[in-house]
Amino acid sequence: MKLGVFDSGIGGEAVADALRKTFPGAEVLVVNDRANVPYGGKSPETVLCLTDAAIQSLLASKCDVIILACNTATALAIDALREKYPAQKFIGIEPMVKTAATLTRGKIVAVCATSATLASARYKRLVRDYGAGLRIIEPDCGEWASLIENNLMNRSHIQKTIEGVCEQGADVIVLGCTHYHWIKELITELAAGRARVIEPSEAIGRRVKTLLALD
């Protein structure tokens, strides 16, 4: 089995690591587009163009599945890529609004994501379908991906944000950008038991199994 993983930057490595643990016999190929990272502030047309160009090596390698390990690329490009490459299986990553809705007790959740993801039609559809009755807090995390990519993120950059959403009553924090997976432990520490922190690494593995009928 050959799995391709694409992300704009280093976030895809975290997803690839999880896939290697789930599928130890698989070949996992990873590509990124660090020359153009972050994607969060770019137009939909630019994100589609960059994503399409970046995955060409994965298409040429005939991956069984290509995982867009980038919430922004999923939100803005995956539908067009599926239409352009109908024979290729794709898996995207989206903010886990549906899961958060099942986990929250206080009906208040925080979604940490890029501005492009939050503005996308795909995200708004998730909120419409699964966010009824929820108060969804969308803190400004616009600089996080760039800071993480350049190894400049520190505790002070996120403490105010996490404290703020917890003080507003959020009991689930959704990490809606794979870059943020690298700081999940710190976010969990800062939440200090007040909120559960979730991201889709395990769900991706389950989706691969379903898509390739491995169970």
Side-chain angles (χ1 to χ4, degrees):
M1 179 171 60
K2 187 181 295 185
L3 304 175
V5 177
F6 163 74
D7 185 40
S8 58
I10 62 172
E13 296 293 345
V15 173
D17 286 347
L19 288 169
R20 291 185 182 105
K21 291 176 183 175
T22 304
F23 306 105
E27 181 181 0
V28 181
L29 307 177
V30 184
V31 297
N32 60 51
D33 186 22
R34 296 186 73 176
N36 294 294
V37 72
Y39 277 14
K42 292 178 169 54
S43 70
E45 294 79 14
T46 299
V47 170
L48 173 57
C49 182
L50 292 173
T51 302
D52 192 359
I55 66 168
Q56 290 305 308
S57 64
L58 300 178
L59 291 166
S61 296
K62 300 189 181 303
C63 292
D64 296 289
V65 181
I66 294 176
I67 296 100
L68 297 188
C70 174
N71 287 264
T72 301
T74 297
L76 302 180
I78 197 169
D79 290 339
L81 293 175
R82 283 174 170 154
E83 184 175 347
K84 185 173 182 179
Y85 307 109
Q88 176 64 57
K89 292 181 172 66
F90 288 96
I91 293 175
I93 293 182
E94 297 176 326
M96 300 177 74
V97 176
K98 181 179 181 180
T99 302
T102 67
L103 295 175
T104 180
R105 295 182 178 181
K107 301 301 180 183
I108 302 174
V109 305
V111 177
C112 297
T114 67
S115 57
T117 294
L118 296 175
S120 70
R122 200 175 187 94
Y123 171 73
K124 294 183 185 304
R125 187 163 63 245
L126 285 172
V127 172
R128 184 190 67 226
D129 292 346
Y130 305 111
L134 298 182
R135 178 186 171 203
I136 300 179
I137 303 167
E138 299 167 352
D140 181 5
C141 304
E143 295 184 350
W144 284 15
S146 181
L147 290 169
I148 292 167
E149 189 71 30
N150 293 289
N151 200 29
L152 296 174
M153 181 66 89
N154 60 47
R155 189 184 190 93
S156 66
H157 287 127
I158 60 173
Q159 186 163 9
K160 183 177 180 180
T161 298
I162 301 306
E163 284 293 334
V165 299
C166 288
E167 287 172 1
Q168 292 180 70
D171 58 5
V172 180
I173 297 173
V174 178
L175 303 187
C177 173
T178 48
H179 278 84
Y180 308 167
H181 295 193
W182 293 105
I183 55 171
K184 180 181 179 181
E185 289 186 7
L186 179 55
I187 293 173
T188 301
E189 177 189 334
L190 291 169
R194 293 170 291 179
R196 182 169 176 176
V197 182
I198 61 173
E199 46 85 8
S201 294
E202 292 184 3
I204 297 168
R206 292 195 295 270
R207 180 62 182 148
V208 169
K209 290 179 180 178
T210 299
L211 204 57
L212 299 181
L214 299 177
D215 288 332

